[in-house]
Amino acid sequence: MADEKDLEIEAMGTVSKALAGIDEDARGRVIRWVAERYGISVSTAKSRGAVNDQVDQDDEDGEDDAEIETGGGGGYSHFAELYDASGASTHGDGMLVAAYWVQILRGQESFGSLELNKLLKDLGHGVTGTAKVMTNLIGKKPALILQLKKSGKSKQARKTYKLTDAGRKAVEQMIVSDAS
């Protein structure tokens, strides 16, 4: 057992050294990649050493305020801040940014297009024809979104989606590009 603990401490030291030379946003991307690669669930850190995955859940009126405490997520406390930082200019970009918010920053494993569109509508950027927009994001090479399941038989049946690694990288690139 002692050998396993020594390996664990050694691994922590290696990770600490590797992350020491990069900025906070890059550290967040690296940590998310490692977690995804090794199937680990990670909550966001509010401050160094203080883990806080507290998301504002539905308030008294049943509405989701779409706020989250973030550390490595760029410090966005509201979807509006992330959307603004991304410089999203098309419906597809908006849906992609909303997917990033829901899956990466809020930690949901999957989402529906209605959930994404509600976030966008609250900002005055609602999307008409969400199914077509999602189909376009799925059709990109590599796919930016994946459809996980469909509930119902009609063409308009509710579908469940997941952001791909390429989709995550696309949003992070939008944020970096708009910041410069």
Side-chain angles (χ1 to χ4, degrees):
M1 234 6 173
D3 290 330
E4 188 176 321
K5 287 287 186 194
D6 291 343
L7 288 174
E8 184 177 343
I9 291 170
E10 186 178 324
M12 287 179 194
T14 301
V15 169
S16 179
K17 286 177 191 171
L19 295 177
I22 58 177
D23 65 43
E24 182 178 334
D25 289 341
R27 283 193 306 267
R29 288 189 295 277
V30 169
I31 297 295
R32 284 190 300 277
W33 177 86
V34 168
E36 186 175 302
R37 170 72 170 83
Y38 292 98
I40 301 166
S41 177
V42 177
S43 57
T44 56
K46 185 173 183 179
S47 63
R48 179 176 269 203
V51 175
N52 182 357
D53 61 347
Q54 183 176 11
V55 177
D56 281 352
Q57 299 297 328
D58 290 348
D59 57 23
E60 298 83 53
D61 64 1
E63 295 294 314
D64 184 357
D65 291 333
E67 294 180 6
I68 184 171
E69 300 288 342
T70 60
Y76 305 108
S77 62
H78 195 278
F79 174 65
E81 295 169 332
L82 174 65
Y83 184 86
D84 181 59
S86 75
S89 59
T90 66
H91 290 313
D93 287 350
M95 292 293 271
L96 205 55
V97 171
Y100 183 90
W101 173 262
V102 169
Q103 186 174 318
I104 304 299
L105 298 183
R106 288 181 62 191
Q108 288 182 215
E109 289 186 28
S110 60
F111 49 84
S113 60
L114 259 113
E115 179 179 12
L116 305 184
N117 203 22
K118 182 189 180 311
L119 289 167
L120 294 166
K121 281 182 181 179
D122 288 346
L123 301 182
H125 299 288
V127 175
T128 53
T130 56
K132 185 175 182 178
V133 172
M134 296 304 274
T135 300
N136 288 339
L137 293 170
I138 291 168
K140 300 275 186 192
K141 296 295 178 205
L144 303 176
I145 298 277
L146 294 176
Q147 180 179 321
L148 300 178
K149 68 181 178 180
K150 178 178 170 182
S151 304
K153 296 183 182 190
S154 72
K155 193 172 184 178
Q156 294 81 21
R158 299 218 188 259
K159 296 172 183 156
T160 303
Y161 302 97
K162 176 182 169 124
L163 187 68
T164 65
D165 192 47
R168 178 188 55 80
K169 288 176 184 174
V171 173
E172 289 170 354
Q173 186 59 46
M174 289 166 58
I175 295 166
V176 169
S177 295
D178 199 56
S180 38

